[in-house]
Amino acid sequence: MQELPIVKVDRIIESDHAVIDGIDISGRWNRMFSQRAITEYPTEAMDWVTGLAGGESLRSCYQCGKCVPVCPVQHVGNYGPRKLNVKVLRGNNLLDDPDLWLCTTCGNCYRVCPKEVNPLEFMPAIREQAVLEGKVPAELQKVFENLQRQGNPLGEPARRRADWTADAGVPVPLISELGRPVDVLWYVSDYTSYHPRGRDAARAMARVLTALGVDFAILGAEERSDGDSARLAGEAGLFEMLAEQNIKTLRKYRFNRLVVMDPHAYNAFKNHYPRLGWEGEVLHYTQFLAPLVDRIEFRSPVELEVTYHDPCYLGRNNGEYDAPRRLLEAIPGIRLVEMPHSRSNGYCCGGGGGGMWLDGFVADHVSERLSERRVREAVATVGMDGTGILSVACPYEPSRFEDAVKSTGNDGRLIVRDIIELIDQAMQPPAP
Amino acid sequence: MPESVLVVGGGPAGLEAAHALAELGARAILVERRPVLGGTPDESNYAALTPHLGSAQEALDRLRARVDHPNVELHLGSTVTACTGSVGDFRVTVAGPDGATRQVEAGAIVVATGFSHFDPGRETQVYGYYEFPDVITLPDAEKMLSEHRFVRPSTGEPPRSVAFIQCVGSRDRRLGNEYCSKVCCGVASKEAIEIRRLVPEAKVYIFYIDMRMYGYWENEIYWPAQEQYNVNYIRGIVTEIVQRGDRLLMKGEDTTMGRPLEVLMDVIVLSVGMEPSRGTREIAGILGLEANKYGFIRTPGEPMDPVSTSVPGIYVAGAAAGPKDLEDSMNMAGAAAVKALGAIRSGAAAGAAGR
């Protein structure tokens, strides 16, 4: 039998009940195919997007396609930055398009874009309009509400933000109780404060700072989410509210510098708080510790092969690749091995730009999570005999990658550790 | 004998060559078919020049003023009808406007007889240039733009939508014009900018196979057209134009989308390419110059010598040698002038040495 050709169409319309010229033609064969031909090139969508503050660069795309192969999301689906320009140029304003929520703002397309088309700017701009129209995926909306009410995305009570300190094993002073200036105000961040797995990094950090004799304190219950991922997910108003709360708090205290655990917080304080009135020195914790590395007293070698995942908002989007590696290389026993996607071409974990809160939504449009692809790359780099470590420097990642280790069937084959956890581990006395 | 060089053609290349020769102390005999100087930019009513959008007439006026020079002998309304001799000793018959002929002597010749715009009546697609008043060409648009207006020819009203179709008459084996005409992407983008300036409410589209914006034209024309003037570039070419009501229905493929396109437009501008002008074809025969398969004058020394023809002592400048932009034409004019004078002087020196 001759095979019928497959005709690709955008949409198939099939009426339950179809009557034409008085004749009932209901049935499977009443299929209508939507118009294949493009009959209009409306310019309104592009004019609208480029009229938004931040939307300007979308028009500049000349369809070279360099962005597509480096976009992590296109590896797992049909999304591609180039295709956004195509859609908008043909009348789709993206407000009802799932593509609007697939971009993690990892910035790898912007890195290679000859025309400087920048999703870090146009995505938040368009998403903000979707937020205003109430066109936000439900799970993201829930996180926005958590941020609004509790000041953190997990919906935990604000007053319990410093609960993790009870198990740190060292005193963690609150700046409000110290009553004096400190050298380092440590901004702990959301997942480090609340997430059961994230807290491990907070406790390790407390022990390392104490061992180094750093004069530090935390904000405790006064700390609010930095708001950066909410901003990138389109909630500019929420970002400003959180930023203003944090700035008000920061202004109450005297300190020399702010040290943050979360690259997203680093991005916020460094690049976006200044326009809201706060300017001060902010360091990611790896940047703070790297110059002090010679003072760290390591007592237990970590005889493992370690690879390092560059967080998008520490590496590519803020240019810090070396500090985390200096720390890893200083830990005795560690052999640092790079993954094929590293440094400026680091592969996104899928958590940025709101992706952390869109896993359910995104799953309908991708073949696998970005964290799963990254874990596969890590396994291919450090092996799967259980002695390899995927090290990270972002609080989103330990839980994301550990989930991905399990879902890719690599349970027990790959260890995920924040760098601070590895430092803390190597500073402990050797096991007897 | 005086250092005389015949320059055939009074467009930008010919004017520049004549001026350069005069400045070098030679005598330039400039023969121009039309009663005025300026060539195709003048004859085809160019409004603004690519890429900087300066006035074409002002630019031509500057060139014209420079041949108002004691060393330049002008023959307007005149054509070259015959030529004998060889380098150092050409004898050329020039027919004047009254039909009278005269002999001029020249040691060398610069041919600057230019191009003509492709006639869309020859197009293998069905664009209906002679059928639909609202299907026009780049020079037709230039004419309107030079009058500071842009309207639908059928109604006299400003258009709501304007589409440029690229590569009309170029890059086409079937037409025999296999070459890229080099300037049309830039000129279309330049006209698109002018239309957006004159009729801001009009949507302007450029349908292309690939945009060929050489050198600085990329950032000086293409990018501003797209980024500042919101000209919409759609990759895909049009195969057919039909009347639909009082508008034009354009049929083609949107190759980015992989879907057919059937879009209504008010005005469609055919980006016609370059072909050898009648003058170029004729002068090649009269001077015995080899032409290439397209009828342009062959320059066998390319790429290092883009101005020497197959005949010693005869040089070519501008679009008589193939698709050239104005920068090319002006560069060639200078080079041709220098080589022409050099040929005379080295011939004279050789003659003196042999005596």
Side-chain angles (χ1 to χ4, degrees):
Chain A
M1 199 179 91
Q2 193 187 339
E3 292 225 354
L4 291 171
I6 294 168
V7 180
K8 283 187 181 174
V9 292
D10 297 314
R11 215 168 52 226
I12 299 170
I13 305 162
E14 189 177 289
S15 304
D16 286 340
H17 189 66
V19 179
I20 291 177
D21 292 342
I23 300 166
D24 190 328
I25 57 160
S26 302
R28 284 300 302 273
W29 47 275
N30 80 47
R31 283 184 178 187
M32 301 283 291
F33 299 117
S34 64
Q35 183 80 18
R36 278 190 73 227
I38 294 167
T39 55
E40 223 186 337
Y41 288 97
T43 57
E44 289 75 10
M46 185 59 86
D47 290 342
W48 177 79
V49 169
T50 55
L52 301 172
E56 301 86 348
S57 69
L58 185 61
R59 193 191 295 276
S60 304
C61 173
Y62 58 13
Q63 295 294 314
C64 71
K66 282 184 184 171
C67 54
V68 175
V70 301
C71 171
V73 188
Q74 86 88 29
H75 295 157
V76 295
N78 290 321
Y79 174 91
R82 176 190 69 78
K83 301 174 192 174
L84 299 174
N85 169 279
V86 170
K87 286 185 172 186
V88 176
L89 203 53
R90 286 157 183 79
N92 175 348
N93 63 16
L94 301 181
L95 286 179
D96 297 301
D97 195 306
D99 278 6
L100 183 58
W101 305 103
L102 298 184
C103 171
T104 64
T105 68
C106 81
N108 211 20
C109 60
Y110 180 62
R111 175 177 68 88
V112 301
C113 179
K115 293 291 291 290
E116 297 181 324
V117 177
N118 191 354
L120 276 68
E121 291 181 352
F122 73 71
M123 272 297 169
I126 306 172
R127 288 170 177 178
E128 186 178 359
Q129 301 304 310
V131 168
L132 293 173
E133 294 194 17
K135 294 179 171 176
V136 180
E139 60 196 293
L140 181 59
Q141 184 58 41
K142 176 71 185 147
V143 172
F144 288 159
E145 286 162 21
N146 291 342
L147 284 164
Q148 176 88 31
R149 290 188 191 133
Q150 277 92 22
N152 68 79
L154 298 93
E156 297 285 336
R159 64 186 156 76
R160 301 187 60 184
R161 199 165 175 108
D163 282 9
W164 62 271
T165 58
D167 301 317
V170 291
V172 180
L174 293 174
I175 194 161
S176 58
E177 291 174 2
L178 276 186
R180 62 169 178 82
V182 290
D183 180 27
V184 169
L185 181 63
W186 171 21
Y187 177 87
V188 182
S189 307
D190 299 323
Y191 287 84
T192 334
S193 295
Y194 289 112
H195 193 282
R197 183 64 184 87
R199 287 173 161 188
D200 296 335
R203 294 177 183 123
M205 177 77 169
R207 290 190 287 268
V208 172
L209 290 178
T210 303
L212 284 170
V214 174
D215 175 31
F216 76 96
I218 64 169
L219 292 166
E222 289 186 286
E223 185 179 293
R224 293 285 175 279
S225 173
D226 55 88
D228 207 47
S229 290
R231 178 183 65 79
L232 291 163
E235 249 295 12
L238 184 55
F239 166 74
E240 285 182 17
M241 186 199 87
L242 292 165
E244 277 161 17
Q245 288 174 2
N246 281 323
I247 289 170
K248 200 174 156 201
T249 305
L250 292 175
R251 283 195 178 133
K252 282 164 54 181
Y253 303 112
R254 288 173 58 205
F255 52 92
N256 291 331
R257 50 207 150 164
L258 195 60
V259 172
V260 305
M261 296 296 280
D262 184 349
H264 305 95
Y266 177 65
N267 187 59
F269 287 117
K270 178 165 170 264
N271 300 320
H272 297 282
Y273 276 43
R275 70 183 147 84
L276 298 170
W278 184 82
E279 285 186 73
E281 188 186 358
V282 55
L283 295 168
H284 185 254
Y285 84 86
T286 57
Q287 296 171 314
F288 175 70
L289 291 179
L292 308 178
V293 74
D294 293 338
R295 285 172 43 196
I296 299 177
E297 194 184 330
F298 293 112
R299 293 195 280 182
S300 307
V302 182
E303 299 283 358
L304 296 170
E305 205 151 56
V306 175
T307 192
Y308 170 63
H309 166 84
D310 286 278
C312 304
Y313 277 87
L314 183 61
R316 187 163 44 243
N317 294 332
N318 279 302
E320 183 58 79
Y321 305 108
D322 295 334
R325 289 177 169 81
R326 270 184 74 191
L327 292 172
L328 286 169
E329 282 165 351
I331 297 173
I334 277 184
R335 290 179 306 282
L336 181 61
V337 199
E338 296 287 356
M339 288 183 277
H341 292 100
S342 67
R343 301 181 74 93
S344 66
N345 193 26
Y347 198 82
C348 178
C349 78
M356 191 71 181
W357 312 315
L358 282 161
D359 277 330
F361 178 89
V362 169
D364 290 342
H365 304 282
V366 297
S367 57
E368 68 175 340
R369 289 183 183 174
L370 302 188
S371 52
E372 292 169 337
R373 284 186 68 94
R374 189 54 153 168
V375 159
R376 290 182 208 284
E377 189 172 1
V379 166
T381 304
V382 297
M384 51 166 65
D385 62 1
T387 64
I389 292 182
L390 171 58
S391 70
V392 300
C394 168
Y396 286 11
E397 287 156 359
S399 60
R400 275 193 93 68
F401 284 142
E402 284 178 0
D403 287 350
V405 166
K406 294 192 186 86
S407 62
T408 54
N410 285 300
D411 207 3
R413 293 172 173 169
L414 181 73
I415 302 164
V416 180
R417 289 284 181 274
D418 194 294
I419 291 174
I420 196 68
E421 296 177 75
L422 293 172
I423 295 173
D424 179 49
Q425 180 184 334
M427 289 173 78
Q428 302 303 319
Chain B
M1 108 171 212
E3 293 177 339
S4 292
V5 177
L6 174 74
V7 178
V8 190
L15 291 170
E16 175 66 9
H19 168 73
L21 287 160
E23 287 288 291
L24 291 168
R27 179 165 182 75
I29 305 158
L30 179 57
V31 177
E32 165 56 41
R33 172 179 57 83
R34 297 170 68 231
V36 291
L37 295 170
T40 301
D42 179 73
E43 188 173 20
S44 292
N45 306 292
Y46 286 10
L49 296 179
T50 313
H52 300 302
L53 282 92
S55 156
Q57 280 303 336
E58 285 173 19
L60 291 175
D61 282 344
R62 284 193 292 275
L63 295 181
R64 290 173 182 128
R66 286 161 56 173
V67 296
D68 184 9
H69 191 291
N71 289 353
V72 178
E73 179 185 316
L74 278 180
H75 295 265
L76 293 177
S78 304
T79 52
V80 172
T81 56
C83 177
T84 58
S86 60
V87 55
D89 185 24
F90 288 111
R91 286 136 205 249
V92 182
T93 309
V94 176
D98 53 359
T101 60
R102 77 174 84 175
Q103 299 292 316
V104 299
E105 293 186 352
I109 300 174
V110 174
V111 174
T113 44
F115 74 100
S116 63
H117 296 97
F118 174 78
D119 176 356
R122 286 215 299 129
E123 178 54 59
T124 51
Q125 317 294 327
V126 188
Y127 290 152
Y129 175 70
Y130 292 105
E131 189 179 346
F132 308 125
D134 295 337
V135 176
I136 64 174
T137 61
L138 289 178
D140 294 334
E142 286 291 333
K143 180 154 174 45
M144 282 199 273
L145 294 168
S146 67
E147 295 158 3
H148 303 289
R149 66 193 183 98
F150 192 82
V151 297
R152 297 175 68 183
S154 64
T155 63
E157 298 295 316
R160 287 162 291 170
S161 54
V162 180
F164 287 82
I165 301 175
Q166 296 306 108
C167 303
V168 177
S170 304
R171 305 173 70 192
D172 189 323
R173 183 172 283 139
R174 202 167 282 277
L175 288 168
N177 296 350
E178 293 154 324
Y179 49 86
C180 166
S181 288
K182 194 169 182 179
V183 302
C184 335
C185 285
V187 173
S189 297
K190 182 220 66 156
E191 289 187 3
I193 289 174
E194 293 174 286
I195 293 168
R196 289 279 301 158
R197 282 180 176 173
L198 279 170
V199 193
E201 50 296 346
K203 297 174 180 181
V204 179
Y205 305 87
I206 294 183
F207 291 87
Y208 65 96
I209 303 172
D210 37 32
M211 290 307 293
R212 299 183 162 203
M213 307 292 288
Y214 300 87
Y216 295 133
W217 285 22
E218 176 80 13
N219 53 300
E220 290 178 349
I221 285 288
Y222 182 17
W223 293 14
Q226 183 196 36
E227 296 172 5
Q228 289 156 39
Y229 291 93
N230 301 356
V231 175
N232 302 287
Y233 288 84
I234 309 282
R235 191 171 187 276
I237 216 70
V238 173
T239 333
E240 196 178 3
I241 296 169
V242 295
Q243 187 87 37
R244 179 67 56 89
D246 67 343
R247 302 181 81 193
L248 298 165
L249 182 68
M250 234 175 55
K251 295 183 180 180
E253 193 199 5
D254 183 327
T255 58
T256 307
M257 299 296 284
R259 288 169 64 186
L261 65 87
E262 294 181 8
V263 187
L264 287 166
M265 292 288 165
D266 287 341
V267 175
I268 294 175
V269 186
L270 306 179
S271 290
V272 289
M274 293 189 185
E275 292 190 322
S277 67
R278 207 181 93 201
T280 292
R281 292 181 191 278
E282 286 173 359
I283 200 73
I286 292 163
L287 299 180
L289 305 177
E290 280 180 24
N292 65 20
K293 65 189 278 195
Y294 314 113
F296 289 110
I297 289 165
R298 210 164 83 78
T299 45
E302 286 197 333
M304 306 313 277
D305 177 0
V307 298
S308 294
T309 68
S310 59
V311 175
I314 304 185
Y315 306 90
V316 61
K324 307 289 175 191
D325 61 24
L326 278 168
E327 290 94 322
D328 293 336
S329 299
M330 303 308 275
N331 289 340
M332 290 174 78
V338 167
K339 281 189 189 286
L341 196 51
I344 294 171
R345 288 184 181 169
S346 61
R355 208 167 288 143

